[in-house]
Amino acid sequence: MTDVELVDVSIRDGNQSMWGAVGMTTRMIAGAAPDLNKVGYRAIETASSTILAMAVRTHKEDPWEMLRTAKRLMPDTPLGFLTTGKRFITFYRTPDVLFELAFRLLVRNGVSRLWVIDPMHDMAGARRIARMAKDAGFTDVVGGICYTTSPVHTDEYYADRIAELDDCDAIDSIYLKDPAGLMTPERLRGMVPMLQGRLSRLRLDEIHSHATTGVSPLTLLEAADLGMTKLHTALPPLANGSSHPSALTMVRNLRARGHSVDVDVEAMERASAYWTRQAQIKRLPAGVPREYDEDYYRHTIPGGVQSTLARQLREMGRPELFDAVVEESVAVRRDLGWPIVMTPFAQYIVTQATLNVITGERYKQLSDEVIDLLRGDFGPLPGDVDQNLMDRAMTTARGKLPPSDGSSEETLEQMRARFGGVDDEELLLRAVMPAEQVDAMQAARGTGAASALASLLKAVENRPQLNVAFSQGDAKFALTRPGGTA
């Protein structure tokens, strides 16, 4: 049987799937990190550019400090980052000069593993990004095949794509990413041997499959039966639902099937209990196993995108549009030539579907991102595009621009001059985010409750006697040093 290693995705994908990428904070990572470090994970998926952006935008936290905190408290566990290689925080094509800077900063701040997954299966682009990552110092670069269902995404299509990665010496292994939870044990059983047969140097030995349809726990067990050694799981309350199978349940089932998994289950339980308490305090939802839903195979929208769409529609005061937008997304995907429904294309499809529903006319208003997609910024689309949609997009001012290939007329030195000589960490954020959001993050530094308490403790650390008390309503806080009176 298989010696299985687990990859934890709670902090990145669990948070993005269950909590719209806004639930997890640096403090919550720090609270669970000592136990996570004891589990024995193969790696922990810690961030994507979306997670970094939400740290700034939602929590006014320094994302680089978040990574440094994670590495300081998890020194024995590799931290990982997910990228498409085409965009970093922005929803348009990000220049290579910024990707190179981002990779250097990620490595500097403790990230050593990189998953490179090009949703359009531009494998030449994925190979180039893998080489860039190795040059930046990543020690473990994992190339990806991204699974979906459509008339054009056949087994032969995937076999041809995976073969393009085999001779890239910057890629250490290959994983199968199933962002919508569409993979079944039966399809996996036929696909893995076929794909592995097209590889001579690399191995397809890792799988990432969401629990959205309720099937992925069985799919992961089948993967272990097929000899795949690395399985992606999450911890409750960030497991199940639209996230990933529960690591606690998966360990029991793997062992019951005869596979070995060398992990500290008690450490998992402690980390899970901590996050469960935090979710209850912050009124964040806990994932529960989902029943099988055949209709999901029509729209294939990943769980994280669904939760984000629901949140955004609530913020717009139009939550009743959710079902109509999901239905419209099916037509938009077909008209766009069957792009895979994962970041960023899932967001492109859902955004355009939302515009169609709100305006009451299909493609009356085209999003810039859809025009970029049709213009070729992300490579050729896998299927035929609706000609009327293509004509409408290409007659816009944006559609007449040449496709973006990742090059930039502005050098890093010119960007430094434009932003006033800030350090590289701030420079990257300012290059890809609105200035007011970065300004707000900078202004919030040192103003949180944890920082205030740390400052208080520092101020009184040398006092021989101490008796301090604060109260607000029913909440009370008292600090007493021996020699003082309570």
Side-chain angles (χ1 to χ4, degrees), residues 435-479:
E436 61 270 19
Q437 294 179 5
V438 182
D439 290 341
M441 177 202 75
Q442 297 281 39
R445 282 181 170 171
T447 61
S451 296
L453 180 57
S455 297
L456 173 62
L457 293 172
K458 180 69 174 176
V460 302
E461 65 181 352
N462 294 322
R463 296 193 181 186
Q465 296 183 356
L466 182 68
N467 181 22
V468 181
F470 304 93
S471 66
Q472 182 176 359
D474 295 332
K476 297 180 180 180
F477 170 79
L479 178 63

Side-chain angles (χ1 to χ4, degrees), residues 42-113:
R42 174 62 183 82
I44 290 178
E45 187 191 39
T46 311
S48 63
S49 70
T50 298
I51 296 299
L52 301 185
M54 298 312 290
V56 177
R57 184 176 301 133
T58 304
H59 305 299
K60 298 180 174 60
E61 291 185 342
D62 183 344
W64 310 110
E65 183 58 34
M66 177 188 73
L67 294 176
R68 288 191 288 269
T69 298
K71 190 57 186 176
R72 175 172 55 83
L73 296 174
M74 294 186 284
D76 305 315
T77 307
L79 304 184
F81 187 89
L82 173 72
T83 185
T84 63
K86 296 289 176 63
R87 50 170 289 276
F88 189 92
I89 294 181
T90 65
F91 269 80
Y92 51 81
R93 182 73 179 264
T94 303
D96 285 355
V97 65
L98 291 178
F99 260 109
E100 291 168 353
L101 176 60
F103 286 173
R104 292 197 301 271
L105 292 175
L106 288 166
V107 171
R108 181 194 302 173
N109 285 290
V111 180
S112 60
R113 195 172 213 252

Side-chain angles (χ1 to χ4, degrees), residues 208-247:
H208 170 111
S209 180
H210 282 251
T212 319
T213 62
V215 177
S216 66
L218 296 175
T219 301
L220 263 60
L221 290 174
E222 182 66 31
D225 290 347
L226 292 167
M228 300 181 79
T229 63
K230 302 175 188 68
L231 311 183
H232 289 209
T233 59
L235 289 174
L238 292 153
N240 297 312
S242 57
S243 178
H244 290 255
S246 167

Side-chain angles (χ1 to χ4, degrees), residues 5 7-8 19 119 149-150 184-185 229 280 301 333 336 350 355 362 406 437 443 446 452 482:
E5 296 179 297
V7 174
D8 181 76
W19 296 343
T149 55
S150 84
T184 64
T229 63
Q280 292 167 346
I301 300 172
R333 185 192 183 201
L336 287 173
V350 167
L355 290 173
R362 188 169 287 168
Q437 294 179 5

Side-chain angles (χ1 to χ4, degrees), residues 114-170:
L114 187 74
W115 290 275
V116 180
I117 182 73
D118 189 298
M120 206 67 74
H121 292 111
D122 171 14
M123 294 317 194
R127 290 162 60 103
R128 184 175 57 83
I129 292 297
R131 171 49 56 198
M132 185 189 299
K134 279 291 186 179
D135 291 344
F138 283 96
T139 58
D140 192 7
V141 176
V142 184
I145 288 290
C146 204
Y147 179 75
T148 189
T149 55
S150 84
V152 299
H153 290 92
T154 63
D155 287 0
E156 292 75 16
Y157 171 90
Y158 289 118
D160 289 341
R161 301 291 83 73
I162 201 171
E164 295 181 54
L165 299 179
D166 194 41
D167 65 348
C168 178
D169 61 2

